[in-house]
Amino acid sequence: MAMKSLVVEDMKVTALKESAFVKPLSLEFRQNGKRRKWDMIKVHDSVTIIIFNITRQKLICVKQFRPAVYFSSIPEDDRKSGIIDTTKYPPSIGITLEFCAGIVDKNKSLAETAREEVLEECGYDVPVERFEKFKTARAGVSTEGTRSNFFYVEVTDDMKVNQGGGLVDEGEVIEVVELSISDAQQYVEAVDNISPAGFSFGLVWFLMKKGTKTP
Amino acid sequence: MAMKSLVVEDMKVTALKESAFVKPLSLEFRQNGKRRKWDMIKVHDSVTIIIFNITRQKLICVKQFRPAVYFSSIPEDDRKSGIIDTTKYPPSIGITLEFCAGIVDKNKSLAETAREEVLEECGYDVPVERFEKFKTARAGVSTEGTRSNFFYVEVTDDMKVNQGGGLVDEGEVIEVVELSISDAQQYVEAVDNISPAGFSFGLVWFLMKKGTKTP
């Protein structure tokens, strides 16, 4: 799952300082009379968008380098020093295949947030009323518990207004990839996916509900 | 989604101290020549088990109080003081419906870990060779990136050796619930689920692959 050009180097592990994205905390409470403590992080809710291009009959997905996936793919013995050998572990082990997605951190509706992500990451300019929310699930039930909102949207070639790729200023390097219905079926059948379980859910949901639709 | 008896009270938010489960860190690296920093937590890999009781034709699932889901369901204004009003927000908003699952933190095979979770949480004693791993996905691709391993196992009534319920000494309070195939179909169709996206994935996968199987 190579990306066109991706170089990752000089990686080290440091202590988390004040973060806009990851806020660790503990909850202390009494459950049925017993004291409990639960460690977690406060993060943002998210939107995930299944984009189906009905002109091309392709699912529009994204590949990107996910630092957390990269780190978690490295055996403990090779990361405990705090220095990661990026020549031993190529960045490809941290490249995921996902639906277009983003966090909900602006004062906008979920559908509007979804609309913006589709434009930024995939380059399609889609009217907000075309976004259909079909599932709200919970992400990281153990450590996060936030809402993960799944949308479905159909696009056409003439809505494509730019190349997508994410916000370069924010360090996003996103590659837009197209999956045929047969690609999607094969990906669901494969045992090992460098993708969230929500991606598999979305693919299976799409195949059941929409996969036979024609333009 | 009430549980038989669940009282949660006297909840406050405190700073995360040294934790066995949530280890915050930052990755600092250079990506295509640009310095980046990524905030995340180090957590454990997990196993999730779809259990189908072929005697009763029921999926065996679990309900439990998830503190992180409870916290994340409360509006920011009502949690920023650090004191949570547990009379205003009933514990039911933090009760999830999930497949049996657990973290991989012992020196055992994934299938053996799955076997132990099924016994502890659901009370079925199942030979390890019956566990079929059908998917490895990535959890929390933004903040965790760990492996989420999905197994399928068929059980029979005569494998039921105890009531399940989790490890009470570790504070687990788990209720075993049975879903018919029609319940599963309805849950997939519902828009709002207090469940992980991986639960929806597992339900849809089961319905496609196994849902028509008879004893």
Side-chain angles (χ1 to χ4, degrees):
Chain A
M1 196 179 293
M3 286 179 72
K4 275 164 202 151
S5 66
L6 176 66
V7 179
V8 173
E9 53 198 349
D10 189 19
M11 184 182 283
K12 64 181 179 191
V13 180
T14 59
L16 180 80
K17 294 168 203 79
E18 185 72 19
S19 168
F21 301 103
V22 171
K23 297 173 187 299
L25 61 92
S26 287
L27 292 176
E28 298 187 24
F29 55 100
R30 211 162 48 239
Q31 180 174 335
N32 290 357
K34 250 183 157 162
R35 294 296 323 170
R36 291 191 78 185
K37 187 162 86 74
W38 193 266
D39 302 329
M40 62 174 286
I41 54 174
K42 194 170 127 185
V43 295
H44 292 94
D45 287 348
S46 67
V47 292
T48 296
I49 310 103
I50 303 182
I51 307 170
F52 187 51
N53 181 321
I54 58 174
T55 313
R56 314 162 75 76
Q57 293 283 299
K58 293 280 174 69
L59 287 162
I60 309 300
C61 304
V62 295
K63 271 194 213 171
Q64 63 195 298
F65 178 67
R66 291 289 203 176
V69 172
Y70 178 79
F71 176 81
S72 294
S73 301
I74 295 171
E76 179 61 21
D77 275 354
D78 276 356
R79 55 188 198 187
K80 66 184 176 195
S81 75
I83 305 292
I84 306 295
D85 184 346
T86 54
T87 58
K88 182 168 177 185
Y89 297 102
S92 57
I93 63 171
I95 295 176
T96 58
L97 179 62
E98 302 175 45
F99 293 118
C100 174
I103 59 173
V104 180
D105 64 348
K106 303 182 191 87
N107 194 15
K108 289 182 173 154
S109 73
L110 294 177
E112 184 57 37
T113 305
R115 203 192 91 79
E116 288 186 357
E117 291 295 337
V118 169
L119 181 59
E120 279 170 19
E121 295 191 350
C122 300
Y124 289 88
D125 192 3
V126 190
V128 68
E129 62 272 15
R130 302 231 182 157
F131 287 79
E132 170 201 350
K133 192 177 80 154
F134 65 94
K135 183 67 80 186
T136 298
R138 297 308 181 108
V141 291
S142 179
T143 49
E144 308 186 348
T146 46
R147 285 184 183 81
S148 184
N149 300 287
F150 287 80
F151 286 85
Y152 175 70
V153 71
E154 291 178 356
V155 303
T156 53
D157 270 356
D158 61 5
M159 294 177 186
K160 180 96 178 171
V161 296
N162 66 55
Q163 289 311 303
L167 298 176
V168 175
D169 287 351
E170 294 183 9
E172 285 190 331
V173 182
I174 287 172
E175 187 173 317
V176 180
V177 294
E178 301 189 348
L179 259 58
S180 67
I181 290 174
S182 137
D183 293 338
Q185 283 162 335
Q186 284 174 43
Y187 203 78
V188 167
E189 295 297 331
V191 172
D192 274 301
N193 296 160
I194 308 186
S195 293
F199 186 67
S200 294
F201 163 59
L203 289 179
V204 179
W205 178 89
F206 170 80
L207 291 169
M208 279 178 69
K209 296 278 186 184
K210 311 278 182 178
T212 55
K213 198 156 189 169
T214 47
Chain B
M1 197 181 289
M3 287 179 72
K4 275 164 203 152
S5 66
L6 175 65
V7 179
V8 172
E9 53 199 347
D10 190 17
M11 183 181 281
K12 64 181 178 190
V13 180
T14 60
L16 181 80
K17 293 168 202 81
E18 184 73 20
S19 168
F21 300 103
V22 172
K23 297 174 189 296
L25 61 92
S26 288
L27 293 176
E28 299 187 23
F29 56 100
R30 213 163 46 241
Q31 181 174 333
N32 290 356
K34 250 185 158 162
R35 294 297 323 169
R36 291 191 77 185
K37 187 161 86 75
W38 194 266
D39 302 328
M40 61 173 288
I41 54 173
K42 194 171 128 183
V43 295
H44 292 94
D45 287 347
S46 66
V47 292
T48 296
I49 310 103
I50 303 181
I51 308 170
F52 187 50
N53 180 322
I54 57 175
T55 314
R56 313 162 76 76
Q57 293 284 300
K58 293 280 175 66
L59 287 162
I60 309 300
C61 304
V62 294
K63 270 194 212 170
Q64 63 196 298
F65 177 68
R66 291 289 204 176
V69 171
Y70 178 79
F71 176 81
S72 294
S73 301
I74 295 171
E76 180 60 21
D77 275 354
D78 276 355
R79 55 187 197 187
K80 65 186 176 194
S81 75
I83 305 291
I84 306 295
D85 183 347
T86 53
T87 57
K88 182 168 179 185
Y89 297 102
S92 57
I93 64 171
I95 296 176
T96 58
L97 179 62
E98 302 176 46
F99 293 118
C100 173
I103 59 173
V104 180
D105 64 347
K106 304 182 191 88
N107 194 16
K108 287 181 175 156
S109 73
L110 293 177
E112 184 58 39
T113 305
R115 202 192 90 79
E116 288 185 358
E117 290 296 337
V118 169
L119 181 59
E120 278 170 20
E121 294 191 350
C122 301
Y124 288 88
D125 191 2
V126 190
V128 69
E129 62 274 13
R130 302 232 183 157
F131 287 79
E132 170 201 352
K133 191 177 80 154
F134 64 95
K135 183 67 80 186
T136 298
R138 296 307 179 108
V141 291
S142 179
T143 49
E144 307 187 348
T146 46
R147 286 184 183 82
S148 183
N149 300 286
F150 287 80
F151 285 85
Y152 176 70
V153 70
E154 291 179 354
V155 303
T156 53
D157 270 356
D158 61 4
M159 294 177 187
K160 181 95 176 171
V161 295
N162 66 55
Q163 289 311 303
L167 297 176
V168 176
D169 287 351
E170 295 184 8
E172 285 189 330
V173 182
I174 287 172
E175 188 173 316
V176 180
V177 294
E178 300 188 349
L179 260 58
S180 67
I181 289 175
S182 137
D183 293 337
Q185 283 163 335
Q186 283 174 41
Y187 202 79
V188 168
E189 294 297 330
V191 173
D192 274 302
N193 296 159
I194 309 185
S195 294
F199 186 66
S200 294
F201 164 58
L203 289 180
V204 179
W205 179 89
F206 170 80
L207 292 169
M208 278 179 69
K209 296 280 186 182
K210 311 281 182 177
T212 55
K213 200 156 188 170
T214 46

